[in-house]
């Protein structure tokens, strides 16, 4: 595995390098905020810890998460905090959530959590919330406003209908291409909360929103989709610099919709194929998506990896560290007004391998 080196990390953008060597006033210009500083955070997602029985768990998924924790602790510069993007568990069992949290407790930095559907549908998030607290919240850090949403809710009627057991409901939601499955959504209650939360934030404040599912519509059959995505986007429209970071899709996706940059996290568990390779139904894979070269789709670590996020300009640059593949950096480009692949040593052109 090619570890990211400090030199490479700082090379991601000229501003990051400048911020590390020039007086803080230079950074102030970038942010327009006196309290702002450049900083980094780490982002780990989709571990799908799977309980077998007793104290046995699927070892590969444990190892993916253990490795992510070890890598994060070795980061230089050290992250201000870590975000966990959801799907700690495979079937939402307390054993799985506890085992995942036990591994994540090895992180030296504070960790913020996002709810995934695999954490939620067995008991509608009760155990997760008992261990981790609210599923939507916000905070400010060095001049940036962070918002966490639970984007994997669905129609109340479906969630609360008379299920034989919570596990039946979970298995319905965990299935791909399930004709009786339901679309994910943020829901009216959180939309109202988000509107209130953002009402006190000045429009030049950089905003980062974390969700589990993409707050855009890509592929409905796999719920690479949030039904009320446009309503969330509308609330984010007045801000100059908005970044949405999401998990769930287990692959690199990058998109720009108006003022909003979207970046996806890879999984520590397994990679999903790109929905564009799935021909039966329409998919809306973002144009800017950097499709990973999957040299060996039967090797589950091929196209899983880590992301380190640099926030020097109020836009995120995501550095993807890809075991057995070339590391890549994607981020917002001021000149073109959208995200681009900023640095790639990629000698293998992205192509489909399924
Ligand atoms: Fe997942
Ligand atoms: Fe998910």
């Amino acid at each position: 595995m090619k570890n990211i080196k400090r030199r490479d990390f700082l090379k991601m953008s000229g501003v990051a390098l400048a911020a590390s060597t020039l007086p803080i006033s230079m950074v102030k210009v970038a942010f327009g905020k006196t309290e702002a500083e450049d900083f980094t955070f780490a982002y780990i997602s989709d571990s799908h810890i799977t309980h077998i029985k007793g104290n046995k768990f699927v070892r590969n998924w444990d190892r993916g998460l253990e490795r992510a924790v070890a890598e994060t602790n070795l980061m230089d510069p050290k992250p201000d905090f870590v975000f966990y993007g959801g799907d700690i568990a495979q079937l939402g069992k307390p054993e799985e959530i506890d085992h995942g949290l036990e591994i994540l407790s090895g992180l030296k930095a504070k960790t913020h959590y996002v709810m995934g559907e695999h954490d939620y549908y067995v008991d509608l998030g009760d155990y997760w919330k008992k261990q981790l607290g609210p599923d939507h919240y916000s905070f400010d850090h060095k001049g940036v406003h962070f918002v966490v949403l639970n984007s994997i809710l669905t129609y109340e009627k479906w969630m609360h209908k008379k299920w034989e057991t919570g596990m039946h409901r979970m298995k319905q939601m965990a299935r791909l291409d399930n004709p009786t499955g339901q679309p994910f959504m943020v829901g009216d209650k959180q939309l109202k909360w988000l509107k209130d939360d953002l009402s006190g934030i000045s429009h030049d404040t950089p905003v980062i929103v974390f969700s589990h599912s993409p707050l855009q519509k890509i592929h409905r059959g796999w719920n690479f989709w949030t039904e009320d995505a446009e309503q969330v986007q509308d609330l984010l429209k007045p801000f100059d610099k908005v970044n949405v970071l999401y998990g769930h899709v287990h692959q690199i996706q990058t998109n720009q919709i108006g003022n909003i940059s979207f970046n996806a996290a890879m999984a520590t568990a397994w990679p999903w194929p790109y929905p564009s390779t799935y021909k039966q139904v329409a998919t809306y894979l973002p144009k800017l998506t950097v499709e990973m070269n999957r040299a060996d789709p039967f090797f589950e670590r091929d196209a899983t990896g880590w992301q380190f996020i640099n926030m020097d300009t109020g836009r995120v640059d995501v550095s993807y560290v890809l075991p057995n593949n070339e590391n890549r950096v994607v981020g917002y480009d001021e000149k073109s007004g959208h995200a681009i692949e900023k640095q790639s040593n990629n000698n293998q052109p992205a192509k489909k391998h399924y």
Side-chain angles (χ1 to χ4, degrees), residues 46 48 87 116-118 212 248:
D46 289 87
H48 291 264
D87 287 353
E117 85 279 17
H118 284 265
H212 182 66
H248 184 62

Side-chain angles (χ1 to χ4, degrees), residues 205-275:
T205 302
V207 177
I208 303 193
V209 180
F210 280 85
S211 58
H212 182 66
S213 55
L215 295 174
Q216 55 181 331
K217 291 175 169 169
I218 297 170
H219 183 55
R220 197 164 196 224
W222 299 351
N223 264 337
F224 287 11
W225 190 277
T226 302
E227 192 74 359
D228 47 9
E230 292 89 348
Q231 285 163 267
V232 180
Q233 291 169 19
D234 279 349
L235 293 173
L236 297 169
K237 257 183 201 148
F239 293 87
D240 298 340
K241 293 170 179 174
V242 184
N243 307 272
V244 173
L245 296 170
Y246 57 95
H248 184 62
V249 296
H250 300 208
Q251 59 195 235
I252 299 176
Q253 291 175 356
T254 300
N255 198 15
Q256 186 75 34
I257 300 178
N259 59 328
I260 309 172
S261 307
F262 294 84
N263 282 288
M266 294 173 296
T268 65
W270 67 81
W272 285 122
Y274 283 90

Side-chain angles (χ1 to χ4, degrees), residues 177 217-225 251 253 273-287 291 352:
D177 296 316
K217 291 175 169 169
I218 297 170
H219 183 55
R220 197 164 196 224
W222 299 351
N223 264 337
F224 287 11
W225 190 277
Q251 59 195 235
Q253 291 175 356
Y274 283 90
S276 54
T277 63
Y278 186 82
K279 301 292 182 200
Q280 287 92 326
V281 289
T283 67
Y284 307 94
L285 201 66
K287 278 194 195 73
E291 293 199 33
K352 298 176 179 100

